[in-house]
Amino acid sequence: MTTNTRIDFIYLSEQDMIRAGVTDMLGCVNTMEEVFELLYKGDYRMAGPNNDSHGAMVCFPEDSPFPSMPRHAADRRMMAMPAYLGGSFRTAGVKWYGSNVENREKGLPRSILMFTLTDVDTGAPLAHMSANLLSAYRTGAIPGVGARHLARKDSRVVGLLGPGVMGKTTLAAFIAVCPLIDTLKLKGRSQKSLDDFIGWVKETYPQITTIEVVDSIEDVVRGSDLVTYCTSGRTGDPTEYPLVKREWVKPGAFLAMPAGCNIDEGMEQHDVRKVLDNIGLYQAWFEELPKPAHNHVPVIGVRFMDMLEEGKLPLDHLEDIGKIIAGEAPGRRSEDEIIIMSVGGMPVEDVAWGTVVYRKALELGIGVKLNLWETPALR
């Protein structure tokens, strides 16, 4: 009996990824919705003892006796994010995440990402792909999934803090599911980032007829139907994270937070619905992190975990978006309720969107075929 031991896989550059549909935001939103249904059913695995870990991160010291070792800095990280996803995907993969804000001084993105998709039976590689767009679109798609189920159908005004990559994909996802959007309120750190973002909006979404650059976070929030914070910054002191005050929030607003965020006591109240993309993810973070956990991971869902520990919030007041999508919990219950959703980011999302893009690349003959071996030298 002859066994074929040859293993080939494909390499997909960023341009290959674009040709294979990685920037199809509506398709990505639909795929992420399918992911959350699988999460709710339990047909997935991530790292860690509860199978819900965000990933494994290399932590650098503030000071080191080794002069060549990187030092800890804002958003300085190297991280592996592995996962398996079942359902129609039935694939596994790992994203390698390298991030350094100083990259921008070199004309590079803050984060440089690669993703390897593997056969779930043998572990053999199926594809090795550029993952900056993969990651950006799956991250932005999650607020879109939330808005589809939790935003008012007549939402028109978006308030956005942070006109960068995450801001672009989050806005794209909002527009994909809320077609009446015609107004954007925007706050950024530099005139260049604002000008670049506004130019992109005008070219990409002519339906947005009003763009207002505002001076404060309060102005971002006030009067907005959809609110998102998409900034990056130093962790450690939650009082320095971008804040949401209850008095700023319009009745009926939906807030989707894929980046650092803090809330005041008014937003902590039980009548503000608090939704998570996966409760298990935040429970895993809370187990892994020193306390208070929000000092170390700035997304608002981690603050919710601290609130549980402090006795400020009962567990049954936290809602899982997967349960809502499955129809076992209500979506928006009234026109005036305020809903805030935490977006933590999970490697199952990379596996899902990476699988969809990989299969489209195969269908279209996109990518460079590479050989791992004809026959392994050691076995």
Side-chain angles (χ1 to χ4, degrees):
M1 178 178 175
T2 302
T3 302
N4 182 9
T5 60
R6 179 186 175 96
I7 293 178
D8 294 317
F9 62 98
I10 61 171
Y11 168 70
L12 296 170
S13 68
E14 184 168 84
Q15 284 303 311
D16 292 332
M17 296 290 283
I18 292 170
R19 290 169 58 209
V22 74
T23 60
D24 173 10
M25 181 51 84
L26 182 58
C28 192
V29 169
N30 293 338
T31 298
M32 293 305 107
E33 195 167 59
E34 187 176 350
V35 169
F36 287 126
E37 291 190 73
L38 293 172
L39 290 181
Y40 182 62
K41 293 175 183 176
D43 192 4
Y44 74 100
R45 285 293 186 271
M46 295 190 287
N50 74 344
N51 301 303
D52 274 308
S53 181
H54 185 65
M57 184 162 65
V58 178
C59 299
F60 293 104
E62 296 284 352
D63 294 297
S64 170
F66 307 102
S68 62
M69 181 179 286
R71 301 296 196 270
H72 173 76
D75 208 33
R76 182 74 170 98
R77 50 183 160 161
M78 292 184 176
M79 189 170 194
M81 300 173 65
Y84 159 79
L85 189 63
S88 66
F89 303 98
R90 201 173 179 273
T91 47
V94 60
K95 182 169 71 177
W96 176 250
Y97 191 126
S99 183
N100 186 356
V101 292
E102 295 178 5
N103 282 353
R104 290 169 175 160
E105 299 172 9
K106 304 173 183 178
L108 296 171
R110 171 180 57 85
S111 302
I112 299 175
L113 313 174
M114 294 298 297
F115 180 74
T116 300
L117 186 70
T118 64
D119 180 274
V120 76
D121 292 318
T122 66
L126 300 172
H128 189 52
M129 59 184 73
S130 169
N132 275 52
L133 290 174
L134 178 79
S135 188
Y137 273 78
R138 66 80 158 158
T139 301
I142 308 308
V145 173
R148 174 178 278 170
H149 293 271
L150 300 171
R152 286 177 53 132
K153 301 304 180 188
D154 60 354
S155 295
R156 292 181 177 273
V157 181
V158 174
L160 192 156
L161 174 67
V165 170
M166 196 184 304
K168 286 181 178 179
T169 56
T170 300
L171 180 62
F174 281 161
I175 291 173
V177 300
C178 298
L180 298 181
I181 290 171
D182 60 12
T183 299
L184 173 65
K185 295 195 297 177
L186 187 63
K187 184 181 186 309
R189 292 174 180 166
S190 71
Q191 191 60 50
K192 183 180 186 306
S193 66
L194 288 166
D195 290 344
D196 290 348
F197 195 89
I198 291 169
W200 171 81
V201 171
K202 288 181 176 179
E203 180 179 350
T204 311
Y205 297 109
Q207 73 188 72
I208 297 183
T209 54
T210 301
I211 302 175
E212 180 185 358
V213 175
V214 299
D215 296 325
S216 69
I217 297 177
E218 177 179 351
D219 291 334
V220 168
V221 177
R222 282 197 182 273
S224 296
D225 302 305
L226 301 162
V227 177
T228 187
Y229 292 177
C230 298
T231 56
S232 60
R234 182 177 293 276
T235 61
D237 183 359
T239 65
E240 296 180 358
Y241 302 166
L243 182 66
V244 179
K245 289 188 177 183
R246 175 69 174 270
E247 65 188 71
W248 301 344
V249 180
K250 176 182 178 180
F254 171 66
L255 302 91
M257 298 299 186
C261 174
N262 204 355
I263 55 177
D264 73 347
E265 289 186 4
M267 289 295 293
E268 290 180 353
Q269 298 308 304
H270 295 169
D271 64 323
V272 175
R273 289 180 67 185
K274 297 169 180 66
V275 178
L276 301 173
D277 42 359
N278 176 14
I279 289 176
L281 169 70
Y282 298 89
Q283 291 172 327
W285 256 328
F286 192 75
E287 292 172 5
E288 296 163 1
L289 293 168
K291 311 301 182 290
H294 198 213
N295 291 32
H296 304 277
V297 173
V299 293
I300 196 59
V302 177
R303 171 59 189 148
F304 297 161
M305 294 295 109
D306 285 335
M307 290 170 63
L308 288 175
E309 182 78 0
E310 296 162 7
K312 290 185 174 182
L313 182 70
L315 182 60
D316 61 6
H317 281 224
L318 288 178
E319 303 184 55
D320 196 300
I321 189 66
K323 188 174 184 179
I324 293 169
I325 291 168
E328 296 186 23
R332 174 166 287 274
R333 295 180 298 213
S334 75
E335 293 295 274
D336 288 341
E337 71 175 343
I338 294 169
I339 306 171
I340 183 169
M341 177 177 168
S342 181
V343 179
M346 293 174 283
V348 286
E349 298 159 5
D350 299 298
V351 171
W353 197 225
T355 300
V356 170
V357 174
Y358 162 73
R359 289 172 179 168
K360 179 57 70 172
L362 287 184
E363 178 186 325
L364 298 177
I366 294 169
V368 178
K369 186 176 180 180
L370 299 175
N371 177 251
L372 186 68
W373 60 52
E374 296 285 346
T375 301
L378 293 174
R379 50 182 168 160

